[in-house]
Amino acid sequence: MSSVGLSSIDVVWSLLAGCFLAALCVHQISRTYETSRLHILFQDLIRYGKTKQNLKRDDWLRVFDVPKRCFWHFYAVSVCWNGFLLALNLNLTFQHQSPPSWLTGIVDILTGVPSTDSHAPQLSTLLVQLLLWVHSLRRLLECLCVSVFSDGAMHLVQYVFGLGYYIILGLTALCSDHVAKGTGSLLSQLDCFHVAGVGLFIGASLLQHQSLVLLARLRTGKSGAVETLAHREPKGGWFELVSCPHYFSELLIYISLTLVFRCLSLTWWLVVLYVLFNQALAAQLCHELYISKYESYPRNRKAFIPFVF
């Protein structure tokens, strides 16, 4: 892992991971205060979609609702922004065109490490940027062409955070560049970490896509036409192991990117820690809903990570 001290970007991801860990803990201990106004405000902030629909909220709180179907906005921003950063890095690698000064200035501030004029190609960074862009494009297409959204909502704070999330993530990939320095040509830098990372990325992406297809089929008929917007018990695939395999696969995708960075980037490990707590909270909320709504739902099934949590 990278050496000493926490950079500004490390502090950002540490705070985000800490906030979601705290939210998960608070949720677990606040169930005895379900009628308090503070509990309702907290639940309104952490829930979205189906886990929010039965929350007894005051009407004024609904002013901050944003339709959950707007999830595609996040991935559209990511495709554009991370595609732009990838193009800049490709120009730096193959055309030796320096990135704009405003971008290097931001990265310098976030890392605390002055940028250099070296144009040595960095396979790890390019691969992470490419995989991140592919992931965003796939999720965008799934939101637009596969998923069937109900009238569920998310909080305005969640929406604003989601819009900025992939911008920060793209910058984080650049901030991790200095700990994954390679020498020689791109092909000569290829090693088992890159192969394992890409392999895990492909497997996790297929798992996530399969899970999202199964969720969509709960609302469509054999012809593919939408028959209902009601929530039904998910079955098949990895839903037989955990309540939310699509969240588990998201964690695996980020672990795969850590492998591509040869497990050397402390910053990216902090990103994985954030994703772990963020997806664990979302999975726990879904898991509780399934148990309360479906009498036949297996009580021994885990919410997020098979056989663990």
Side-chain angles (χ1 to χ4, degrees):
M1 289 201 183
S2 61
S3 54
V4 298
L6 290 178
S7 63
S8 297
I9 193 66
D10 293 337
V11 172
V12 168
W13 287 110
S14 297
L15 288 174
L16 287 174
C19 286
F20 278 91
L21 174 59
L24 180 60
C25 294
V26 170
H27 170 71
Q28 298 286 18
I29 64 177
S30 66
R31 299 174 189 176
T32 56
Y33 306 96
E34 291 184 358
T35 58
S36 71
R37 184 173 297 272
L38 187 60
H39 174 82
I40 297 298
L41 289 173
F42 172 70
Q43 294 295 325
D44 185 47
L45 191 59
I46 67 172
R47 293 175 179 269
Y48 59 88
K50 57 180 174 289
T51 65
K52 192 170 191 169
Q53 289 184 329
N54 294 327
L55 184 64
K56 297 179 180 178
R57 301 181 290 156
D58 295 333
D59 289 339
W60 69 270
L61 287 174
R62 302 180 187 278
V63 174
F64 301 100
D65 284 357
V66 177
K68 187 190 172 185
R69 63 176 63 93
C70 291
F71 256 58
W72 71 269
H73 295 178
F74 307 153
Y75 303 114
V77 168
S78 181
V79 167
C80 295
W81 171 249
N82 289 300
F84 169 69
L85 294 182
L86 175 60
L88 289 178
N89 206 359
L90 288 172
N91 278 333
L92 173 65
T93 300
F94 297 108
Q95 303 296 329
H96 305 299
Q97 296 180 4
S98 298
S101 58
W102 60 265
L103 180 59
T104 56
I106 292 175
V107 173
D108 289 351
I109 292 173
L110 292 176
T111 62
V113 178
S115 57
T116 65
D117 295 327
S118 172
H119 298 302
Q122 301 303 319
L123 178 61
S124 293
T125 304
L126 282 172
L127 265 180
V128 167
Q129 288 184 302
L130 176 61
L131 296 177
L132 185 59
W133 184 81
V134 169
H135 172 64
S136 302
L137 179 61
R138 176 181 62 81
R139 290 295 293 118
L140 174 61
L141 294 175
E142 287 169 342
C143 283
L144 296 176
C145 305
V146 176
S147 298
V148 180
F149 293 102
S150 65
D151 295 327
M154 55 182 157
H155 199 283
L156 179 62
V157 171
Q158 294 172 321
Y159 179 73
V160 173
F161 176 80
L163 290 176
Y165 171 75
Y166 283 101
I167 293 177
I168 298 174
L169 194 63
L171 292 172
T172 302
L174 293 179
C175 291
S176 299
D177 183 84
H178 68 282
V179 299
K181 288 295 184 183
T183 57
S185 65
L186 291 177
L187 186 59
S188 67
Q189 295 176 36
L190 184 65
D191 60 23
C192 59
F193 282 101
H194 298 121
V195 175
V198 172
L200 179 58
F201 176 87
I202 294 173
S205 298
L206 291 173
L207 171 59
Q208 189 171 64
H209 179 72
Q210 178 202 49
S211 302
L212 293 171
V213 168
L214 289 173
L215 285 175
R217 286 178 180 172
L218 295 175
R219 294 177 173 175
T220 60
K222 294 182 179 180
S223 64
V226 177
E227 294 183 343
T228 179
L229 295 181
H231 299 290
R232 295 173 174 173
E233 180 182 348
K235 296 180 180 180
W238 279 50
F239 283 106
E240 304 300 326
L241 290 176
V242 290
S243 294
C244 301
H246 47 309
Y247 295 151
F248 175 58
S249 56
E250 185 81 1
L251 175 63
L252 293 180
I253 285 171
Y254 281 84
I255 291 175
S256 75
L257 300 181
T258 305
L259 285 174
V260 174
F261 274 130
R262 299 186 178 121
C263 300
L264 294 173
S265 174
L266 171 63
T267 303
W268 209 263
W269 278 114
L270 292 172
V271 174
V272 170
L273 198 62
Y274 155 77
V275 173
L276 170 64
F277 296 138
N278 173 280
Q279 299 296 281
L281 176 60
Q284 181 64 27
L285 294 172
C286 286
H287 184 67
E288 293 171 358
L289 175 66
Y290 294 153
I291 288 179
S292 64
K293 187 173 183 179
Y294 308 113
E295 293 184 1
S296 62
Y297 198 77
R299 296 305 192 260
N300 61 343
R301 183 172 297 170
K302 301 301 182 181
F304 178 39
I305 302 176
F307 313 111
V308 178
F309 173 78

